[in-house]
Amino acid sequence: MRFSIGLGKTDALERLEQRGVSRREFLKFCSAVAVVMGLGPGAAESVAAALTGKRPAVVYLHGSECTGCSESVMRVYDPFIDELILDTISLDYHETIMAAAGHAAEEALHKAVSSPEGYVCVIEGAVPTARNGLYGTVGGKTMLKLCSEIAPKAKAVFAYGTCAAYGGIPAAKPNPTGAKGVGDALAGLKGKEVKPINLPGCPPNPVNFVAALVHWLQNKSVPELDEQGRPLMFYGTPVHEQCERLPHFEQGEFAPSFESEEAKKGWCLYELGCKGPNTYNNCPKIKFNQTNWPVQAGHPCIGCSEPNFWDEMTPFYES
């Protein structure tokens, strides 16, 4: 099916069409992004225009992490988020999925950051800072040095995932590598202040990443953030208040165990360790793969989008 949006068919739409992504599928995705942004499905056309306009150059750096954040994007199958992202932005450098290696990879990075039109920087993973960043290196440079060189010059910086936002699991006690979130790790750069848009989660929902990018493409500005640097449009409401098990909480109906019939019937998991009341995210609203999320699947929220969750939210299970 051939289709056009806005003033005419763009290269991005042609590439999507070649991959088998129809107009219907594309606009379905754009509607979902619009809803997440609080714009309503009627704003799908404006989201589509942002995603199919001039492709922004994106430099995607990795710190200390498990690459689960990249996996959360690449393994989403409907509505083709991985294809939409790769075909509507110019992902010029990504240490995990790029074909280039060695000097060719370095050349790709140099070309991207030298673009006269600028670039967007996405950082996944914590930044090791102990011993001047020695505990994490890429191509002979420390992750700290790479981030220090590239992030301050970017038009926008996205800290994707809890490790990048706040240090995450690498920063858990005793934290021998001195792992920190991007903002904290780069706070000492004189005259080069970096205030990333934090998109925490372990892993984060990729729809939040796309929606944050769309907001920046539309407005060329940072969305309204909370005190933790998170976009309020995604992280403005506690998980607890959006949970489908909330009516059971309000009625005092708590599952006595994970194996109980009450748990299977959807009773509240608060007394089993659920951290939903203290966690801000939109997991119940957009789910993962638009299909499910931990609490719906019977697992308590562990507060993974909160700073220091590994130390402050444990134990994750109570009985």
Side-chain angles (χ1 to χ4, degrees):
M1 178 184 296
R2 301 187 66 81
F3 55 89
S4 61
I5 290 177
L7 297 177
K9 189 173 174 63
T10 68
D11 290 342
L13 296 179
E14 291 176 355
R15 290 191 299 274
L16 291 173
E17 182 181 286
Q18 291 169 1
R19 288 176 176 267
V21 181
S22 69
R23 172 185 169 84
R24 178 186 178 87
E25 291 164 331
F26 181 62
L27 287 179
K28 176 184 176 182
F29 169 77
C30 293
S31 294
V33 172
V35 170
V36 170
M37 295 175 68
L39 301 176
E45 290 284 347
S46 65
V47 172
L51 286 174
T52 56
K54 186 173 180 59
R55 302 174 78 197
V58 176
V59 173
Y60 196 117
L61 302 178
H62 284 272
S64 178
E65 36 78 34
C66 67
T67 317
C69 300
S70 290
E71 289 284 347
S72 74
V73 174
M74 298 305 146
R75 296 191 180 278
V76 172
Y77 65 91
D78 184 17
F80 313 105
I81 290 181
D82 58 340
E83 294 176 347
L84 285 164
I85 289 177
L86 293 177
D87 277 322
T88 55
I89 66 174
S90 180
L91 191 58
D92 296 328
Y93 184 85
H94 189 297
E95 293 155 357
T96 300
I97 65 173
M98 66 189 302
H103 293 297
E106 288 295 305
E107 179 60 27
L109 178 60
H110 176 73
K111 183 177 180 180
V113 300
S114 300
S115 170
E117 297 180 354
Y119 58 92
V120 171
C121 180
V122 181
I123 301 176
E124 173 182 341
V127 182
T129 63
R131 299 185 65 185
N132 202 29
L134 184 62
Y135 291 105
T137 63
V138 177
K141 286 187 177 182
T142 67
M143 297 169 178
L144 177 60
K145 183 174 179 59
L146 281 168
C147 291
S148 298
E149 291 176 348
I150 295 171
K153 300 176 184 177
K155 290 186 173 181
V157 178
F158 296 87
Y160 187 50
T162 299
C163 294
Y166 312 123
I169 294 175
K173 296 177 181 178
N175 191 10
T177 67
K180 296 180 179 180
V182 174
D184 288 341
L186 304 183
L189 296 178
K190 295 182 179 180
K192 299 179 180 180
E193 187 177 16
V194 176
K195 290 187 176 181
I197 300 169
N198 290 330
L199 299 169
C202 191
N205 196 305
V207 175
N208 288 345
F209 169 58
V210 178
L213 181 61
V214 166
H215 181 280
W216 185 82
L217 289 171
Q218 289 179 325
N219 304 285
K220 295 298 185 292
S221 64
V222 174
E224 184 179 1
L225 307 177
D226 68 7
E227 61 183 11
Q228 304 297 345
R230 303 173 294 197
L232 284 170
M233 68 178 81
F234 317 135
Y235 302 94
T237 305
V239 167
H240 177 71
E241 295 180 14
Q242 307 167 72
C243 182
E244 58 268 87
R245 296 177 186 250
L246 180 60
H248 293 285
F249 175 89
E250 294 174 338
Q251 295 171 26
E253 297 176 340
F254 301 99
S257 69
F258 293 114
E259 299 81 12
S260 66
E261 286 300 315
E262 290 85 350
K264 296 176 183 177
K265 291 178 181 178
W267 284 30
C268 182
L269 304 178
Y270 179 71
E271 293 187 351
L272 296 177
C274 185
K275 305 302 189 296
N278 301 311
T279 303
Y280 288 79
N281 210 329
N282 57 5
C283 303
K285 180 178 179 181
I286 60 174
K287 304 183 180 181
F288 285 82
N289 291 351
Q290 297 183 333
T291 302
N292 211 331
W293 70 289
V295 174
Q296 181 181 342
H299 192 287
C301 170
I302 64 173
C304 71
S305 58
E306 297 301 307
N308 306 314
F309 84 97
W310 195 262
D311 294 324
E312 297 181 2
M313 294 293 190
T314 50
F316 294 138
Y317 310 108
E318 298 177 11
S319 61

